[in-house]
Amino acid sequence: MTLLEKLRCLFTFGQGVALPLPEISSDSTPLTLFTQWFNDANKSGILLPEAMSVSSCSSDGQPSSRMVLLKNFDEQGFVFFTNYGSRKSNELVENNKVALLFHWNVLQRQIRIEGTVEKVTPQESAEYFHSRDRGSQVGAWASKQSQKLTHDNELKDRMTHFNDKYAKGEVPHPEFWGGWRIKPTYIEFWQGRASRLHDRVIFEKKDEAWQNFKIHP
Ligand SMILES: Cc1cc2nc3c(=O)[nH]c(=O)nc-3n(C[C@H](O)[C@H](O)[C@H](O)COP(=O)(O)O)c2cc1C
């Protein structure tokens, strides 16, 4: 973290407690508020403000969570990229219900998102894949994400193999690697306030329209 980033963090710390939620009307949409909070997080100096937890659930009901990076969001949903053969992807195929969580500590804010997932189009995945640095592209080929290593050097050996294989020209986009789009049906904005009288605003999608209400902290 650079000195400037540290100073920005210090400057921002606790600001959320002093700031109430913006006015929310019955026709407010969660995307507007999410965009505003995401921009605040980007400006705050927090490292990786786009980091979020994604929780999936196995077919026998065992939930699991891990961090990923939000790469895109709009009216269609929230997108992250991963290996389609990973544990999370297998679980999302079996059970398309998913939960996301953002926590921006210096802003004293969290956002909880629940909904269902769908794969992004292969074109969208390929476009993002090719925007990544070459090392990450080859790394995607080398990693059998979530699978057991057969020996300690397996990953290194596979990296060498794919580096040689794709030494010339463009690294092709692997079909087993791509994006998931979370289509939200529930979004909660949580703003820390003094005396634990936190603000909680819920947006719920009913019949394709968003309704909002506040709940006790
Ligand atoms: C800050 C952070 C960001 C990460 N971003 C991603 C990501 O965007 N995509 C991904 O596949 N893994 C990402 N990872 C690794 C995952 O947390 C996880 O280890 C990996 O996806 C395998 O998860 P699974 O075995 O549950 O499928 C990230 C980890 C951290 C700590």
Side-chain angles (χ1 to χ4, degrees):
M1 199 186 234
T2 64
L3 180 61
L4 185 63
E5 282 166 342
K6 279 185 191 155
L7 287 172
R8 274 160 73 199
C9 257
L10 277 175
F11 177 72
T12 317
F13 189 70
Q15 218 178 58
V17 182
L19 291 172
L21 285 170
E23 250 345 279
I24 297 182
S25 62
S26 57
D27 59 356
S28 295
T29 71
L31 188 64
T32 313
L33 191 50
F34 183 89
T35 306
Q36 189 179 330
W37 280 26
F38 192 66
N39 289 342
D40 289 346
N42 271 289
K43 281 188 261 161
S44 70
I46 298 170
L47 285 180
L48 295 178
E50 71 276 33
M52 60 183 186
S53 156
V54 54
S55 300
S56 54
C57 205
S58 69
S59 51
D60 63 357
Q62 173 64 57
S64 64
S65 305
R66 76 287 291 152
M67 301 302 292
V68 296
L69 299 179
L70 176 72
K71 289 296 170 185
N72 186 21
F73 68 91
D74 56 23
E75 299 79 14
Q76 304 307 312
F78 300 84
V79 175
F80 72 92
F81 291 88
T82 192
N83 186 309
Y84 283 145
S86 63
R87 173 178 175 180
K88 74 179 93 48
S89 293
N90 286 329
E91 291 184 353
L92 293 173
V93 168
E94 283 173 10
N95 176 350
N96 73 347
K97 292 199 171 126
V98 67
L100 303 178
L101 181 66
F102 292 87
H103 175 220
W104 296 309
N105 58 0
V106 296
L107 294 167
Q108 305 200 26
R109 286 176 175 170
Q110 82 176 332
I111 301 181
R112 295 165 59 169
I113 299 174
E114 293 169 24
T116 54
V117 280
E118 62 183 24
K119 284 183 181 169
V120 307
T121 62
Q123 290 78 0
E124 209 174 330
S125 293
E127 197 175 311
Y128 174 64
F129 182 82
H130 291 301
S131 76
R132 303 175 89 207
D133 64 87
R134 194 177 179 87
S136 304
Q137 293 182 29
V138 177
W141 278 101
S143 169
K144 297 181 184 174
Q145 195 174 58
S146 318
Q147 293 187 32
K148 277 188 188 156
L149 286 170
T150 52
H151 56 93
D152 279 358
N153 285 332
E154 189 187 358
L155 194 56
K156 202 167 137 250
D157 293 350
R158 286 178 60 83
M159 198 63 188
T160 306
H161 168 78
F162 286 106
N163 255 325
D164 291 348
K165 185 169 180 182
Y166 299 126
K168 290 199 186 106
E170 191 178 76
V171 180
H173 163 231
E175 276 178 17
F176 60 78
W177 192 97
W180 286 103
R181 175 173 284 108
I182 291 85
K183 300 173 83 65
T185 50
Y186 177 101
I187 307 189
E188 174 189 332
F189 295 86
W190 184 99
Q191 172 70 72
R193 305 298 305 274
S195 307
R196 303 199 180 273
L197 300 178
H198 314 306
D199 281 325
R200 298 180 71 186
V201 179
I202 316 292
F203 287 81
E204 255 181 340
K205 205 170 195 178
K206 291 260 160 70
D207 302 323
E208 291 308 304
W210 286 104
Q211 296 170 358
N212 69 70
F213 52 92
K214 292 186 176 172
I215 61 172
H216 281 260

